[in-house]
Amino acid sequence: MTGLIDSHCHLDHFPDEAIPDLLDRAKQAGVEGMVTIGTRLSRAAQQKDLTRFDRPDLRVWCTVGTHPDHVDECTISDPADIVALADDPRVVGIGESGLDYFHGAPEVRPLQQARFRAHIAAARRMDLPLVIHARDADSDMAEILRDEIAAHGPFRFLLHCFASGPDLARTGLELGGYVSFSGILTFPRSEALRDIALSIPEDRLLVETDSPYLAPVPQRGKKNEPAFVAHTARRLAELREVPPERLAEVTTANFHRLFSRAS
């Protein structure tokens, strides 16, 4: 399988000296690009610096944002400050940002919601896609997405590493969003998620690793890396009964439509 994009990885979780070999393995697996995702706005400079590994045969882009698990560390709440950090050609999206009620204590939820709305405002102003993290927060996530679009207009977004329920998937699609699947799709107990993956329109579908986490079958137990996106893509192609080459073509076209600054 060739021409794949890993739409979500965390290169900052790998030693710098390991990244050239990691990129070589990704290229051998058919990957032609990857996005290293920001999890703390305070480390936006480091995310941008990782794009120095970009090369003609394998592109490396980045996003800037604060993950909901780190909102208590984030002093940036003004969308204009996020816009300033994202005003760089190396940055192709905002995020990841969103809601995580699995890790986040109830008293942190209002702060998560406020920071999420700030990221939405920045994404709208920049006309960049927002990479959304949602865990155990489907109802509030859907409510905020609907409210923001009703009040301020549409924005581009991706529900990354999708592992939520069918209602959030439907809401995301109705509001114009895209949905990305990770190695969770390959796990034996992910039948419900595979049913959702079948329901996603072809033109809204992406794949990712979320590496170094969630290594797909048959790499379970190993440290995940961008090369392993090929396993998730192959399982998704099998599930949707399309040739792997078609799945790669479609998801890469979708990536470039959504992440239009990536070139």
Side-chain angles (χ1 to χ4, degrees), residues 17-250:
E17 61 270 18
I19 292 178
D21 287 344
L22 176 150
L23 295 182
D24 286 343
R25 291 191 295 273
K27 183 63 181 177
Q28 291 165 10
V31 177
E32 66 178 34
M34 63 190 69
V35 186
T36 182
I37 302 294
T39 58
R40 293 174 174 86
L41 285 166
S42 61
R43 299 183 185 177
Q46 291 94 319
Q47 284 300 316
K48 295 174 190 179
D49 185 57
L50 284 166
T51 64
R52 74 186 186 277
F53 290 105
D54 182 53
R55 61 196 215 191
D57 66 334
L58 203 162
R59 305 304 311 277
V60 178
W61 304 283
C62 75
T63 69
V64 295
T66 290
H67 188 289
D69 284 353
H70 304 304
V71 292
D72 55 344
E73 307 167 28
C74 181
T75 59
I76 296 175
S77 58
D78 189 331
D81 293 330
I82 304 174
V83 166
L85 291 171
D87 190 15
D88 186 308
R90 296 171 293 180
V91 177
V92 299
I94 305 292
E96 61 185 293
S97 180
L99 307 176
D100 191 316
Y101 293 174
F102 180 82
H103 290 121
E107 58 268 25
V108 181
R109 292 176 185 178
L111 184 58
Q112 287 190 2
Q113 294 168 13
R115 293 290 192 264
F116 181 39
R117 289 182 186 270
H119 281 72
I120 290 173
R124 187 185 288 108
R125 291 185 197 179
M126 293 293 289
D127 192 25
L128 290 176
L130 177 63
V131 178
I132 294 178
H133 173 103
R135 187 172 186 188
D136 286 7
D138 287 19
S139 179
D140 283 357
M141 175 60 68
E143 181 179 350
I144 290 174
L145 291 175
R146 290 195 192 98
D147 178 64
E148 283 286 333
I149 289 175
H152 305 293
F155 63 96
R156 291 188 278 165
F157 66 90
L158 173 65
L159 296 172
H160 109 88
C161 192
F162 195 84
S164 297
D167 289 345
L168 183 57
R170 281 191 292 269
T171 298
L173 293 171
E174 289 167 4
L175 297 174
Y178 290 65
V179 181
S180 178
F181 292 95
S182 70
I184 297 173
L185 186 80
T186 72
F187 296 177
R189 296 183 180 179
S190 293
E191 285 300 334
L193 185 62
R194 286 188 279 274
D195 288 341
I196 293 171
L198 278 172
S199 74
I200 305 301
E202 185 179 78
D203 63 350
R204 304 286 190 87
L205 195 61
L206 276 76
V207 289
E208 64 173 272
T209 58
D210 203 8
S211 54
Y213 313 106
L214 304 172
V217 175
Q219 303 293 342
R220 293 297 292 146
K222 297 181 181 179
K223 187 174 185 178
N224 202 5
E225 60 179 81
F228 295 170
V229 74
H231 298 294
T232 298
R234 193 170 292 111
R235 183 69 181 95
L236 187 55
E238 177 185 278
L239 183 68
R240 293 173 68 95
E241 298 182 340
V242 298
E245 294 75 18
R246 173 62 182 170
L247 193 284
E249 177 186 352
V250 164

